[in-house]
């Protein structure tokens, strides 16, 4: 059983704690579901990639939907015929339908997807709105009150 340790990412990122916790919990098999296998990588400061092994699926047989903070990936192969009179003696290539769901953190958007060499790559980017970004607050020194010293002049 594989377990991905996200603890190094907790130290270097802020605001993704919920994302890593949810991805970590999704990595645990739910009822033995382990198909299709996938990787989650950090590709930049605010960018991530989910790579999923979908060998044998064509682009029109896989659908990706992002709604609110849930990314859903579905795959359903069309019936294929090997020709008249052919019979499959052993089926080692999985051809079953699948559905995977990922909970995304706030302000994480899907920026693209590509199917290459049997791997589906889904690119994610964290886009923080301008009003939620930290801003620099200038510190101004309080004006010093000048004390006047009055002296009586002796005549």
């Amino acid at each position: 059983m594989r377990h991905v340790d996200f603890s190094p990412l907790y130290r270097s990122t802020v605001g993704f704690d919920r994302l890593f916790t949810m991805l970590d919990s999704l990595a645990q098999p739910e009822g033995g579901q382990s198909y299709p296998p996938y990787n989650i990588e950090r590709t930049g400061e605010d960018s991530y990639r989910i790579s999923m092994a979908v060998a044998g699926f064509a682009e029109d047989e896989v659908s990706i939907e992002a709604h609110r903070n849930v990314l859903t990936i579905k795959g359903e192969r069309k019936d294929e015929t090997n020709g008249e009179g052919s019979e499959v003696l052993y089926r080692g290539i999985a051809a079953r339908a699948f559905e995977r769901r990922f909970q995304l953190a706030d302000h994480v958007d899907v920026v693209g997807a590509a199917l290459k060499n049997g791997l589906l790559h889904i690119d994610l980017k964290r886009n923080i709105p301008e009003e939620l970004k930290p801003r620099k607050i200038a510190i101004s020194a309080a004006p010093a009150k000048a004390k006047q010293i009055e002296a009586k002049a002796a005549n």
Side-chain angles (χ1 to χ4, degrees), residues 16 20 23 31 51 79 84 95 143 150:
F16 280 99
F20 293 130
L23 290 175
S51 298
D79 293 333
E84 202 59 40
E150 295 181 19

Side-chain angles (χ1 to χ4, degrees), residues 5 18 20 34 58 72 84 94-95 97 104 120-121 139 144 147-148:
D5 184 19
R18 194 175 118 214
F20 293 130
S34 62
T72 305
E84 202 59 40
L104 302 178
L120 176 65
H121 300 289
I139 301 172
K147 292 186 178 181
Q148 273 188 323

Side-chain angles (χ1 to χ4, degrees), residues 52-120:
M52 186 175 291
V54 292
F57 286 85
E59 290 179 20
D60 60 338
E61 296 172 334
V62 177
S63 66
I64 303 169
E65 180 181 310
H67 182 66
R68 300 193 185 188
N69 288 356
V70 178
L71 173 67
T72 305
I73 304 155
K74 295 179 185 177
E76 190 170 347
R77 289 190 60 182
K78 297 175 183 166
D79 293 333
E80 61 181 56
T81 56
N82 293 335
E84 202 59 40
S86 68
E87 178 181 346
V88 177
L89 299 177
Y90 172 77
R91 184 171 305 273
I93 300 173
R96 62 183 180 262
F98 68 89
E99 180 175 334
R100 281 275 186 180
R101 293 180 187 266
F102 296 92
Q103 292 287 331
L104 302 178
D106 294 334
H107 313 297
V108 173
D109 300 320
V110 178
V111 293
L115 182 61
K116 183 178 180 184
N117 297 330
L119 290 176
L120 176 65

